[in-house]
Amino acid sequence: MSTGEQTLTASAATKTRPRKAATRRQRRERLVAAGFLAPFMLLLLIFQYVPLLVMARNSFYDYSLLNPAAEKFVGLRNFADMIEYEDAATSFGITFLFALGVVLFVIPVAFALALFLNSKLPARGLVRTMIMLPVVTSSVVVATMWSFLLDPSNGLINGALDIVGISRQPFLTSTGQALPALVAMTLWQQVGFGAILFLAGLQGVPAELSEAARIDGATRWQVLWNITVPLLSRTTLFIVVIMTVFSLQAFAPAFLMTQGGPQESTNLIVYHIYNTAFIMQQAGYASALSVVLLLVVLAISMIQMALLRSRWNY
């Protein structure tokens, strides 16, 4: 029998060989693992997947939270109303603008902080603590604190502007400054998270590549732009997606700082959903808005999976 025939025979025998039955120890380990996973899976089912199914079902009905028994099936009318009326498009537009501002500012600032933390400069531990404190602080506390800072009358920021001779600014009461103020607050809170992720990526870049480039005569800037930045493409895309999804789901800034104003200039989509369901008592329409928001977030996640297949690897 030739070598090829022996290989085919062995392969066929392997395929037809019956699978060994699980031993008593393996069965016991599987039961223990299932026992540990069961509480989490049960909570995930009750508080995550069941509400999603209820939300999808409610998006086809017209009802009020004060009298849910009087619900009426309307089919796709809630989704048609989103196209017919301007409130949903305006709110989504404001939310996308808010998310764009957060991403455009968080990425470069977080990368600069990560470069500092990855260097041998002094005070790295102090800076690391300072940038991580806002990340672990509640969004409610951060929004409340920034409301005091940005107060047009007695805010600390306006007080500092008075000292340097700059006139007081309206900030949260101005249609042109309210949304940038929310972006600034979110940048202050989330830049530490992006910096830590960038720092992890920088520490994973092989030092041999930078050393070889420096030996070949590359400057520090050329090494950073042509080696470090491309190798951090996956980390950068991950941070972009995380920050985008976080911004699309932002609620506390609009709820605590501006209540969607002035003149709905900060009416973020999640706050609009809350206002539609609990204030205007249009729970069916709010469910339809939530379904659309969920699809948007899922679409961004799918784009993430596609873009993370970077040609750069190490």
Side-chain angles (χ1 to χ4, degrees), residues 59 69 87 94 107 122 133 137 188 193 204 220 223 230 270 272 289 294 296:
S59 64
D87 62 317
I94 293 172
I107 298 302
L133 279 177
T137 304
W188 180 83
F193 180 69
R220 188 182 299 273
V223 172
V270 176
H272 182 57
L289 289 171
L294 174 63
V296 170

Side-chain angles (χ1 to χ4, degrees), residues 62-82:
D62 181 18
Y63 71 100
S64 168
L65 293 176
L66 298 177
N67 188 17
E71 62 182 11
K72 182 175 65 174
F73 180 77
V74 295
L76 297 176
R77 195 186 74 183
N78 289 325
F79 297 94
D81 289 343
M82 294 173 55

